[in-house]
Amino acid sequence: MRYLMMSKVTDTTPEPDEKLYAEMAEFVEELSAAGVLLATGGLEPGGVRVTSRGDEITVTDGPFAEAKEAVAGFALVEVRSQQEAIEFTRRFRGIVGDGETVIQQVFGP
Protein backbone atom coordinates (compact mmCIF):
# COMPACT_ATOMS: atom_id res chain seq x y z
CA MET A 1 0.00 0.00 0.00
CA ARG A 2 1.30 3.44 -0.90
CA TYR A 3 0.70 6.50 1.26
CA LEU A 4 1.43 10.15 0.67
CA MET A 5 2.42 11.95 3.85
CA MET A 6 2.19 15.74 3.54
CA SER A 7 3.53 18.14 6.15
CA LYS A 8 1.80 21.47 6.46
CA VAL A 9 3.29 24.80 7.48
CA THR A 10 2.04 25.97 10.87
CA ASP A 11 2.70 28.92 13.15
CA THR A 12 4.92 26.62 15.24
CA THR A 13 6.98 25.18 12.37
CA PRO A 14 10.59 25.58 13.56
CA GLU A 15 13.38 26.92 11.39
CA PRO A 16 15.64 24.03 10.35
CA ASP A 17 19.10 23.79 11.87
CA GLU A 18 22.10 21.47 11.44
CA LYS A 19 20.77 19.01 14.06
CA LEU A 20 17.43 18.75 12.26
CA TYR A 21 19.14 18.21 8.89
CA ALA A 22 21.32 15.45 10.38
CA GLU A 23 18.39 13.67 12.06
CA MET A 24 16.27 13.88 8.90
CA ALA A 25 19.13 12.58 6.75
CA GLU A 26 19.50 9.58 9.07
CA PHE A 27 15.73 8.94 9.00
CA VAL A 28 15.55 9.21 5.20
CA GLU A 29 18.55 6.88 4.85
CA GLU A 30 16.89 4.32 7.14
CA LEU A 31 13.61 4.38 5.19
CA SER A 32 15.46 4.20 1.87
CA ALA A 33 17.57 1.24 3.00
CA ALA A 34 14.40 -0.55 4.12
CA GLY A 35 12.88 -0.01 0.65
CA VAL A 36 9.93 1.90 2.14
CA LEU A 37 10.64 5.42 0.88
CA LEU A 38 9.69 5.98 -2.76
CA ALA A 39 10.13 9.78 -2.89
CA THR A 40 10.50 12.75 -0.58
CA GLY A 41 11.01 16.46 -0.90
CA GLY A 42 10.23 19.98 0.12
CA LEU A 43 7.86 22.19 -1.81
CA GLU A 44 8.24 25.84 -2.77
CA PRO A 45 5.93 28.09 -0.77
CA GLY A 46 4.47 29.95 -3.76
CA GLY A 47 3.25 27.59 -6.39
CA VAL A 48 0.54 28.11 -8.99
CA ARG A 49 -3.17 27.46 -8.49
CA VAL A 50 -5.22 26.24 -11.47
CA THR A 51 -9.00 26.30 -11.02
CA SER A 52 -11.82 25.47 -13.39
CA ARG A 53 -15.46 26.44 -13.47
CA GLY A 54 -17.27 25.20 -16.54
CA ASP A 55 -15.18 26.12 -19.57
CA GLU A 56 -13.22 28.79 -17.68
CA ILE A 57 -9.70 27.95 -16.48
CA THR A 58 -8.01 30.40 -14.12
CA VAL A 59 -4.28 30.35 -13.32
CA THR A 60 -3.14 32.25 -10.22
CA ASP A 61 0.48 32.64 -9.11
CA GLY A 62 1.23 32.27 -5.40
CA PRO A 63 2.04 32.88 -2.66
CA PHE A 64 -1.48 32.67 -1.30
CA ALA A 65 -3.01 34.33 1.75
CA GLU A 66 -3.82 30.95 3.29
CA ALA A 67 -0.15 29.89 3.17
CA LYS A 68 -0.43 28.40 6.67
CA GLU A 69 -2.51 25.65 5.05
CA ALA A 70 0.11 25.00 2.38
CA VAL A 71 1.98 21.71 2.13
CA ALA A 72 5.68 22.32 2.82
CA GLY A 73 7.00 18.83 2.15
CA PHE A 74 6.01 15.28 1.34
CA ALA A 75 7.05 11.65 1.51
CA LEU A 76 5.67 8.84 -0.63
CA VAL A 77 6.06 5.48 1.10
CA GLU A 78 5.14 1.90 0.34
CA VAL A 79 4.20 0.06 3.51
CA ARG A 80 2.10 -2.92 4.63
CA SER A 81 -0.62 -0.91 6.37
CA GLN A 82 -1.96 2.49 7.30
CA GLN A 83 -0.74 1.84 10.84
CA GLU A 84 2.83 1.48 9.57
CA ALA A 85 2.49 4.82 7.72
CA ILE A 86 1.23 6.39 10.95
CA GLU A 87 4.20 5.01 12.88
CA PHE A 88 6.66 6.48 10.36
CA THR A 89 4.81 9.78 10.62
CA ARG A 90 5.01 9.69 14.42
CA ARG A 91 8.78 9.26 14.12
CA PHE A 92 8.98 12.10 11.57
CA ARG A 93 6.98 14.44 13.83
CA GLY A 94 9.26 13.48 16.72
CA ILE A 95 12.22 14.70 14.69
CA VAL A 96 10.76 17.92 13.26
CA GLY A 97 8.63 18.92 16.26
CA ASP A 98 5.23 20.57 16.43
CA GLY A 99 3.13 20.67 13.31
CA GLU A 100 0.67 18.74 11.19
CA THR A 101 1.05 15.92 8.70
CA VAL A 102 -1.79 14.56 6.57
CA ILE A 103 -1.60 10.92 5.42
CA GLN A 104 -3.59 9.72 2.41
CA GLN A 105 -3.54 6.37 0.68
CA VAL A 106 -2.49 6.52 -2.98
CA PHE A 107 -4.60 4.38 -5.34
CA GLY A 108 -3.65 3.17 -8.78
CA PRO A 109 -0.63 1.62 -10.42
Side-chain angles (χ1 to χ4, degrees):
M1 300 164 86
R2 288 180 294 158
Y3 286 90
L4 182 62
M5 302 183 293
M6 299 165 288
S7 296
K8 292 184 172 185
V9 175
T10 67
D11 293 338
T12 60
T13 300
E15 288 294 321
D17 59 17
E18 291 303 316
K19 181 177 184 268
L20 175 62
Y21 286 129
E23 289 176 352
M24 281 304 301
E26 185 177 313
F27 185 56
V28 166
E29 185 177 314
E30 177 187 336
L31 297 182
S32 296
V36 172
L37 186 63
L38 302 177
T40 189
L43 302 172
E44 68 157 316
V48 175
R49 178 180 293 147
V50 179
T51 57
S52 61
R53 179 165 284 134
D55 292 336
E56 183 181 334
I57 303 290
T58 304
V59 178
T60 308
D61 291 327
F64 305 102
E66 61 279 359
K68 68 180 183 174
E69 294 295 320
V71 175
F74 74 95
L76 179 63
V77 296
E78 186 152 357
V79 293
R80 292 180 297 273
S81 67
Q82 182 184 56
Q83 188 59 41
E84 189 175 8
I86 291 169
E87 288 307 313
F88 284 128
T89 302
R90 285 179 189 273
R91 291 182 56 203
F92 168 77
R93 296 279 9 139
I95 294 168
V96 300
D98 294 347
E100 178 182 346
T101 300
V102 175
I103 304 170
Q104 291 179 286
Q105 187 173 359
V106 177
F107 299 112

